[in-house]
Every structure is written in C-alpha cells, then in structure tokens.
Amino acid sequence: MIKNVDDSFCGESEKNDKIGATNYLIPTQDSVKYKNSTKKIKLLVCFIQAHIGGAMTSLVNFLNALDTDIYDVDVMFYENDGRHGIKESINILPQGKIHKSFTLSNILQKIVSPAYIWAAMQDVYYKNIKHNRRKAIQIMSKQGCKYSRKLDKEYDVAVAYEFTWCMNYVITRVKARKKILWHHLDFEKSGMDFKVDEKSLDTADALVFVSKECMNSYGQKHPKYINKLNFVPNILSSDYVRAKGDE
C-alpha cells in the first residue's frame, strides 16, 4: 500500500552511497572493531507506512546505505505490504498494526479505556473544529502504539524515522540502549504541538535533523535540547538516481 501524502518534507541531500549516519550511530573508530567481530550492532528503524514523499525516499536510501557487516538491521512499518526497494540484507519485520478497526474485541478493548476515549474526543475536536489534522494524529498515535505488535528483542539503537506512531512506539514500546528521533518536518510550521510530544523528546537520546535551517530554528525555540541536536543530510544514492532516470 503506497499512499501519496504531503509530509511537509524539508531537508538537504548529499549524493553518497555510504552514509555518514553509520558514523553517527557508532563512532568511526569503532567501525573496524565491528567489521572484525561476529557481533553486530542491533538496529531497529521504525516508519509509519510506504508513501510517495521525501521521507520515504530518504528512508530507502538511508537503509540501503547502511553497512550490514556492522549492523543487524530490523525495520518495522506500522502498515506494510512490500520491500519498496529496500535491499535484501535488511530484515523487514511484520507490520506493527495488528488490530482490525471494527472487530468486537478491538472495540470493547478501547471503549473501556478512559485514555482512549479522551484521545478520541480530542481527535474529533482538533480535526473537525480546529482543523488541525497533525495535532489530532499526534494525540491518537499515542494510543495506537499501545495496540501495536510487541517486540521482545533488545536493540543497541532504535530509530524513529518519523514522528507520531514511530516516535511513540520507539520511546514507549522498544527496549534499546539508545533512542534517536529523526526530524523531516519543520516542527513549528507543521501544525504539530510541542507540548504533546515533549515527554518523548525529553526521553530521546538524540534528535536528528535533515535540514540545518530546521535544526537551528528548533534549537532557538527549545534550547534545552541543544546538546541533543544533530544534522545528518538525506542520502541520495547513485543507484537511486540511475533507477529514477530509467523510469
């Protein structure tokens, strides 16, 4: 299932086949140690679903540029129906969404949850009265991750490659030594409410921005995170460019 969405994408691209993000996730001086070891860095990357947009393109290039001699990579989409150009050495897990919206058990489980009912009321209010769809999604995604697939595996690094469900799932449902949140949006201009996600942002070990402008703007508005901010440009692989040129 590929959806065409406006994800308010912002970012800078770097034509490169071996990503600087590998050096970001583990220090460069450690790379040789891991290449010569049977132990790999266990990495989880979470993404909402395949769609036509900048963040999806960025994800595919990011994953394909990771060195799988160093990383043991799992990818979880909330909803998924294919590989979407991701190389075979990357392991795609079963999708995170495991409930069906209108089954009796799912409905009963939610109507006895005060937190879910309150979130659903806010969802209606922000969508239909305030016309702020992004804030509505922020609120409901916190509930959605509670009903998502459970992971028993522990990771060295977990990356939420988008906000909403990805961020909430990584922060609240994943066991990992380091948790990293990727920013593809100008947070302040997107309609999202900082207060809704503040606790998750506090918990994250690092905040990665694909745009220096967005990173600097964010740092000015939220100086308490200044030591967590990192700039990692989007990767534009030569294989991807050639494939698009052949279409």
Side-chain angles (χ1 to χ4, degrees):
M1 180 195 313
I2 297 182
K3 294 192 176 183
N4 189 350
V5 300
D6 174 14
D7 56 4
S8 301
F9 179 79
C10 68
E12 301 171 28
S13 296
E14 179 179 278
K15 189 175 180 182
N16 194 346
D17 292 316
K18 285 298 177 184
I19 181 173
T22 301
N23 295 334
Y24 169 72
L25 292 169
I26 56 171
T28 305
Q29 59 266 32
D30 288 346
S31 298
V32 173
K33 178 181 71 174
Y34 282 105
K35 274 184 172 292
N36 295 331
S37 170
T38 56
K39 181 182 178 182
K40 293 184 180 182
I41 297 293
K42 289 178 287 190
L43 171 65
L44 173 70
V45 180
C46 289
F47 197 74
I48 187 70
Q49 64 194 113
H51 58 245
I52 298 171
M56 182 65 191
T57 300
S58 173
L59 173 74
V60 173
N61 283 306
F62 171 81
L63 292 171
N64 288 345
L66 286 171
D67 187 343
T68 50
D69 288 334
I70 297 175
Y71 292 103
D72 175 14
V73 187
D74 288 342
V75 178
M76 178 182 278
F77 292 86
Y78 178 64
E79 292 184 276
N80 186 43
D81 61 357
R83 296 200 66 86
H84 310 292
I86 298 168
K87 62 185 180 182
E88 293 293 330
S89 57
I90 302 289
N91 179 40
I92 298 182
L93 299 172
Q95 69 176 31
K97 181 180 178 180
I98 55 176
H99 66 274
K100 295 182 179 179
S101 298
F102 299 108
T103 61
L104 181 60
S105 61
N106 183 49
I107 293 171
L108 290 175
Q109 187 178 21
K110 290 175 178 177
I111 63 174
V112 298
S113 167
Y116 186 89
I117 292 171
W118 174 236
M121 291 170 63
Q122 291 181 84
D123 178 63
V124 172
Y125 173 74
Y126 283 107
K127 278 182 180 176
N128 299 325
I129 297 175
K130 301 298 287 185
H131 304 292
N132 187 340
R133 182 173 174 272
R134 287 200 185 277
K135 184 169 180 178
I137 292 172
Q138 276 183 284
I139 292 167
M140 286 305 296
S141 68
K142 291 182 182 296
Q143 297 302 313
C145 70
K146 295 178 182 179
Y147 303 95
S148 297
R149 185 178 304 279
K150 182 180 179 181
L151 287 179
D152 294 321
K153 183 175 178 179
E154 294 189 22
Y155 294 89
D156 296 300
V157 182
V159 172
Y161 210 72
E162 281 191 315
F163 267 68
T164 61
W165 176 84
C166 311
M167 177 187 66
N168 291 305
Y169 188 79
V170 164
I171 293 297
T172 64
R173 300 295 301 274
V174 175
K175 297 176 183 177
R177 291 169 53 202
K178 179 187 288 186
K179 297 184 178 184
I180 304 173
L181 308 182
W182 233 261
H183 288 62
H184 296 275
L185 297 170
D186 186 322
F187 194 95
E188 310 304 329
K189 295 179 180 179
S190 69
M192 296 173 73
D193 185 338
F194 169 77
K195 289 294 183 182
V196 174
D197 291 331
E198 186 173 9
K199 288 184 180 179
S200 294
L201 293 162
D202 288 346
T203 303
D205 296 288
L207 307 177
V208 171
F209 292 78
V210 299
S211 161
K212 286 182 180 177
E213 181 181 353
C214 289
M215 181 183 71
N216 292 335
S217 173
Y218 192 90
Q220 289 173 2
K221 291 182 174 66
H222 309 292
K224 69 175 179 176
Y225 299 128
I226 199 71
N227 293 325
K228 291 186 178 185
L229 307 186
N230 298 268
F231 168 61
V232 178
N234 288 317
I235 302 305
L236 190 61
S237 77
S238 55
D239 287 343
Y240 180 83
V241 173
R242 283 193 290 269
K244 288 298 180 184
D246 292 338
E247 288 181 357

